[in-house]
Amino acid sequence: TDIASFVCLLTLRVRIVVLPTFLVYRCCALFVVCVVTAGVHGKLECTSRLSGMPDVTVTFQDPSLFDNVSLHPCVRMNRFMKERLLSFVPPDGVFTLMEYSVNRQVAIPVYVKPQISFHGHSGNMNIFMGAKGIPADKRIEGIVITVRFSQNVTTVHMNANVGDAVFNQNSKVLTWTIDRLGKTLSPNLGGTIALARPISNHEQKPEVSASWKIPAYSISGMRVANVSIFNETYKVHKGMRSVTRAGKFSIRT
């Protein structure tokens, strides 16, 4: 085994989570979408395979974005408080270097618009989704839209122009999966719902949620400006990756 190819590696991975607690849309009138609450939570994850006692410094392009910061014990708190940078001797392996929230509003890069109606023993549902406000060279991947129905629903027949939709008869959950969002065709899911009895005013409405990710993209604007390594003379292979993904992304119907 070539040990040398592993001992001189430092990789930083930025995970941006859109709404780690909850993201809720209220669908008001026809296709009018109101954001009820939104937020961004980020993690800076580090993989270190450095021998000796290297001293690492990480600087950011705009550290004023950070709020509610939580640091790994290896980070020198005094330097962070004074200079808003990370100075540390990394432990070996994978660890979370920093967690933070973002102190400004961000544009949600995905829209999900469900339209659900019931009449007697049946109903209709249409869901439209797509990207908005992200760079042309970025793609949304790993999309999963879940609709949880009440036990009153007997069958669901849906057709999707993109991806696959599967209804679980036992759990009453419809799952629509899309591998990757294309440039031109907007995904749409539509079909009918069969009910055992007419919907009452007090019956729970279907719950719609979504998960997705955008590789190589930071919705918060958080960017690492430079990574410097001191006290060691060997060559270090440094890497940096970013990914934005949904936290609890739910839509009221």
Side-chain angles (χ1 to χ4, degrees):
T1 302
D2 186 4
I3 303 291
S5 63
F6 296 94
V7 295
C8 302
L9 170 68
L10 182 69
T11 302
L12 296 177
R13 180 181 177 90
V14 180
R15 288 184 177 269
I16 311 296
V17 180
V18 179
L19 298 183
T21 50
F22 56 93
L23 168 63
V24 182
Y25 280 99
R26 181 186 294 114
C27 295
C28 308
L30 181 61
F31 293 144
V32 176
V33 179
C34 309
V35 178
V36 177
T37 181
V40 174
H41 176 78
K43 285 185 179 182
L44 184 58
E45 298 176 342
C46 184
T47 301
S48 175
R49 296 289 186 267
L50 301 175
S51 58
M53 290 292 288
D55 203 314
V56 181
T57 300
V58 178
T59 58
F60 304 96
Q61 290 188 6
D62 186 3
S64 64
L65 292 172
F66 301 144
D67 198 7
N68 299 321
V69 176
S70 175
L71 301 174
H72 189 275
C74 71
V75 177
R76 298 180 180 96
M77 180 63 72
N78 289 339
R79 289 204 64 184
F80 178 79
M81 298 299 294
K82 292 178 181 179
E83 305 174 58
R84 303 296 282 183
L85 56 77
L86 304 179
S87 175
F88 59 99
V89 176
D92 193 48
V94 180
F95 60 97
T96 299
L97 187 60
M98 180 177 71
E99 294 188 53
Y100 60 92
S101 59
V102 175
N103 56 15
R104 65 180 179 85
Q105 292 291 328
V106 297
I108 308 304
V110 172
Y111 67 84
V112 179
K113 299 178 180 179
Q115 188 182 37
I116 305 173
S117 61
F118 295 101
H119 309 281
H121 287 78
S122 64
N124 295 286
M125 182 175 73
N126 282 283
I127 299 178
F128 299 87
M129 71 86 55
K132 61 176 183 178
I134 64 173
D137 62 334
K138 304 302 179 185
R139 291 289 173 269
I140 301 175
E141 301 178 354
I143 304 160
V144 180
I145 297 177
T146 303
V147 185
R148 298 183 180 277
F149 294 96
S150 69
Q151 291 299 314
N152 187 24
V153 172
T154 56
T155 57
V156 174
H157 298 286
M158 291 288 151
N159 294 309
N161 66 344
V162 178
D164 298 303
V166 178
F167 178 67
N168 188 305
Q169 192 70 42
N170 295 324
S171 63
K172 308 298 184 183
V173 174
L174 174 72
T175 304
W176 181 20
T177 58
I178 303 171
D179 291 336
R180 189 177 185 184
L181 206 59
K183 294 182 179 180
T184 55
L185 187 63
S186 297
N188 168 243
L189 176 73
T192 59
I193 305 166
L195 305 172
R197 63 181 185 282
I199 291 286
S200 67
N201 293 331
H202 302 290
E203 191 165 340
Q204 184 179 1
K205 295 181 179 180
E207 300 176 4
V208 182
S209 60
S211 62
W212 43 265
K213 66 179 180 180
I214 310 175
Y217 181 62
S218 173
I219 191 175
S220 67
M222 184 279 203
R223 291 180 177 84
V224 173
N226 187 50
V227 178
S228 301
I229 300 176
F230 306 96
N231 295 343
E232 298 295 344
T233 58
Y234 52 74
K235 183 179 179 180
V236 177
H237 300 281
K238 296 180 289 186
M240 176 69 193
R241 293 183 295 170
S242 296
V243 60
T244 295
R245 64 180 178 85
K248 186 178 180 183
F249 192 111
S250 59
I251 304 97
R252 293 178 183 174
T253 59

